[in-house]
């Protein structure tokens, strides 16, 4: 069986139906049909179905499985904030050309930006059919919870990765387990008090050697509280995988049993204006363009650890989202993954072999 996803979702509430009932149902059905075909690598739309925005390059945690484990947040404040006017330009162009969904995070903690609400409201008013983001939950105060519920956000995902305080503090470095759990439960209470079903709440559990023994207890605790539970395979960014030769890969059959759907679904737009072909940590190593904008806004020049070859930044061709989506670079990524030949690109090879669902 071909595998194109690394996440299993256990649902208590039909999030799709709730969202569908709050937007244009026909447009939403078209969106989900496009997404299903893109995930199966059967269709390439004229414009990305989804864009992921990195609105700031900073986080208040330093989790061991993330690049923030190797980098401090010094000088990663407002100097790295993505401009609202550029966001509006991308949304406006996208709506007219087929953009259906946005995620408001990449390698960052999105709630660091207190003005994230205006980004959500603008996208919702413009007609985006799915708006969501992932957070560590530490900044989810009562006021923030109310603002998010009233903003038009469709889905909220909170990354927890543990059932006990001891395990949580090994994985979610910088976080307070009791405080975060309290805030997540309080979010559910506030949403119920306001009589809203949206945004739906998903709690995430990324499996690894440190926490996998707690998965069953995690599921039991949250299955009657959260709307859904996301159980994800770990992409081992910090572990140095991907050292098998092409010949070894072929012997193991890894040239044919995995196909990445991300280049068929969406692009990631970083704080510095660089555009990535996917949303994994490894995507930061292979930007495919620099965003062309009419605003005249200069993007952040703060370096990021993900771009290992710093010379790449100056070599990027300035393109619109549409031009990037239809570029030869994106066509190459789609071609190798459709053929099951992820190992033909060194970064894709490293990424796939770093994902814990791949047996090596």
């Amino acid at each position: 069986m071909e595998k194109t996803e690394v996440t299993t979702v256990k649902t208590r509430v039909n999030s799709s139906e709730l969202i569908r009932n709050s937007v244009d149902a026909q447009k939403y059905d078209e969106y989900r049909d496009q997404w299903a075909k893109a995930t199966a690598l059967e269709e390439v739309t004229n414009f990305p179905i989804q864009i992921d925005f990195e609105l700031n390059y900073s986080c208040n945690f330093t989790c061991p499985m993330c690049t923030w484990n190797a980098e401090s947040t010094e000088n990663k404040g407002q100097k790295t904030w993505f401009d609202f006017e550029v966001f509006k330009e991308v949304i406006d162009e996208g709506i007219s050309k087929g953009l259906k969904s946005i995620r408001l995070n990449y390698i960052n903690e999105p709630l660091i930006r207190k003005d994230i609400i205006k980004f959500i409201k603008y996208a919702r008013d413009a007609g985006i059919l799915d708006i969501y983001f992932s957070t560590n939950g530490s900044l989810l105060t009562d006021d923030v919870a109310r603002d998010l519920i009233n903003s038009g956000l469709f889905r909220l995902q909170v990354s927890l990765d543990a059932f006990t305080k001891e395990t949580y503090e090994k994985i979610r470095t910088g976080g307070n387990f009791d405080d975060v759990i309290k805030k997540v439960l309080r979010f559910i209470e506030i949403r119920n008090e306001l009589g809203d079903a949206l945004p739906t709440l998903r709690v995430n559990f990324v499996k690894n050697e440190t926490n996998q023994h707690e998965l069953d207890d995690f599921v039991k605790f949250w299955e009657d509280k959260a709307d859904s539970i996301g159980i994800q395979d770990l992409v081992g960014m910090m572990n140095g995988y991907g050292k098998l030769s092409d010949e070894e890969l072929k012997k193991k059959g890894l040239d044919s049993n995995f196909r990445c759907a991300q280049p068929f679904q969406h692009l990631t737009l970083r704080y510095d204006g660089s555009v990535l072909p996917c949303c994994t940590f490894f995507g930061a190593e292979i930007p495919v363009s620099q965003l062309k904008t009419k605003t005249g806004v200069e993007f952040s020049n703060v370096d990021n650890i993900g771009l290992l070859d710093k010379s790449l930044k100056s070599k990027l061709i300035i393109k619109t989202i549409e031009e990037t989506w239809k570029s030869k670079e994106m066509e190459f990524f789609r071609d190798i993954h459709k053929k099951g030949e992820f190992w033909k690109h060194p970064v894709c090879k490293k990424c796939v072999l770093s994902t814990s669902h791949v047996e090596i």
Side-chain angles (χ1 to χ4, degrees):
M1 178 180 290
E2 295 176 4
K3 185 160 185 176
T4 59
E5 299 291 342
V6 295
T7 303
T8 301
V9 181
K10 296 178 177 291
T11 60
R12 182 177 66 87
V13 173
N14 190 331
S15 299
S16 292
E17 192 64 24
L18 288 173
I19 298 172
R20 182 179 184 273
N21 291 338
S22 67
V23 298
D24 184 308
Q26 182 178 347
K27 289 182 178 179
Y28 186 81
D29 290 343
E30 291 171 357
Y31 152 52
R32 295 315 300 169
D33 181 60
Q34 283 183 337
W35 189 267
K37 289 178 179 177
T39 301
L41 317 189
E42 295 173 355
E43 181 179 303
V44 180
T45 52
N46 290 323
F47 197 87
I49 304 170
Q50 176 173 308
I51 296 176
D52 293 2
F53 291 86
E54 187 177 43
L55 299 183
N56 58 289
Y57 184 56
S58 53
C59 186
N60 54 342
F61 283 16
T62 54
C63 303
M65 65 285 195
C66 178
T67 58
W68 287 112
N69 184 47
E71 179 174 17
S72 77
T73 57
E74 185 179 357
N75 296 321
K76 304 297 189 299
Q78 293 192 19
K79 292 179 179 179
T80 68
W81 283 20
F82 192 89
D83 190 85
F84 182 56
E85 295 303 314
V86 178
F87 176 82
K88 291 197 297 182
E89 182 183 331
V90 174
I91 294 295
D92 291 345
E93 178 194 8
I95 283 291
S96 68
K97 295 182 178 179
L99 178 65
K100 302 293 195 301
S101 172
I102 63 170
R103 184 173 74 157
L104 295 176
N105 74 284
Y106 175 52
I107 306 178
N108 66 310
E109 169 48 52
L111 290 181
I112 284 177
R113 287 199 66 155
K114 304 302 182 186
D115 62 347
I116 192 172
I117 301 301
K118 71 179 182 181
F119 288 83
I120 298 169
K121 287 183 175 179
Y122 188 86
R124 180 67 186 265
D125 290 343
I128 296 295
L129 301 171
D130 196 3
I131 307 166
Y132 71 106
F133 64 83
S134 297
T135 172
N136 60 40
S138 63
L139 303 176
L140 195 60
T141 63
D142 282 16
D143 287 343
V144 170
R146 290 190 183 90
D147 286 343
L148 290 174
I149 294 165
N150 293 324
S151 69
L153 185 69
F154 292 111
R155 296 187 284 141
L156 178 67
Q157 300 181 5
V158 184
S159 299
L160 297 174
D161 303 333
F163 175 69
T164 65
K165 180 181 179 68
E166 179 184 11
T167 300
Y168 180 88
E169 292 179 354
K170 290 178 182 177
I171 297 173
R172 292 270 145 196
T173 312
N176 181 309
F177 177 75
D178 294 330
D179 180 63
V180 170
I181 299 302
K182 179 180 177 181
K183 285 174 175 173
V184 176
L185 294 174
R186 180 62 181 145
F187 174 86
I188 298 172
E189 289 180 359
I190 293 172
R191 192 185 62 183
N192 291 341
E193 290 169 3
L194 294 174
D196 287 308
L198 296 174
T200 58
L201 173 70
R202 183 174 113 182
V203 292
N204 286 335
F205 188 101
V206 180
K207 293 183 295 182
N208 58 58
E209 293 180 356
T210 304
N211 67 3
Q212 57 189 2
H213 66 286
E214 294 188 358
L215 177 57
D216 289 344
D217 288 332
F218 181 88
V219 171
K220 288 177 184 177
F221 179 80
W222 288 106
E223 62 186 355
D224 64 346
K225 299 177 180 67
D227 299 313
S228 61
I229 302 170
I231 303 165
Q232 298 170 281
D233 294 325
L234 175 66
V235 177
M237 178 69 181
M238 308 303 288
N239 296 328
Y241 294 95
K243 296 180 180 178
L244 296 186
S245 68
D246 292 351
E247 196 59 39
E248 289 172 314
L249 286 171
K250 290 179 182 179
K251 287 180 181 178
K252 290 178 176 292
L254 292 177
D255 58 330
S256 61
N257 69 351
F258 182 87
R259 283 145 169 81
C260 180
Q262 292 206 23
F264 293 79
Q265 298 165 333
H266 64 258
L267 295 174
T268 295
L269 181 51
R270 299 210 68 183
Y271 73 96
D272 60 359
S274 57
V275 185
L276 313 182
C278 66
C279 70
T280 72
F281 287 148
F282 292 106
E285 297 182 29
I286 46 174
V288 289
S289 72
Q290 180 74 14
L291 181 67
K292 181 189 295 183
T293 174
K294 301 174 184 176
T295 63
V297 171
E298 291 187 9
F299 291 105
S300 172
N301 59 8
V302 173
D303 285 339
N304 69 78
I305 196 172
L307 190 61
L308 302 182
D309 181 357
K310 303 301 181 184
S311 67
L312 274 178
K313 187 70 185 297
S314 61
K315 297 175 184 176
L316 292 177
I317 298 175
I318 299 174
K319 298 178 181 177
T320 64
I321 292 294
E322 183 177 24
E323 289 168 343
T324 301
W325 186 245
K326 296 178 178 179
S327 67
K328 291 183 179 179
E329 290 86 353
M330 291 303 298
E331 288 178 0
F332 172 76
F333 284 116
R334 293 183 194 114
D335 182 61
I336 63 172
H337 286 291
K338 193 160 188 175
K339 293 177 179 176
E341 299 174 342
F342 67 84
W343 38 269
K344 283 191 173 180
H345 193 290
V347 176
C348 292
K349 173 182 173 182
K350 181 167 57 173
C351 178
V352 174
L353 294 183
S354 298
T355 305
S356 59
H357 75 274
V358 175
E359 299 293 336
I360 55 176

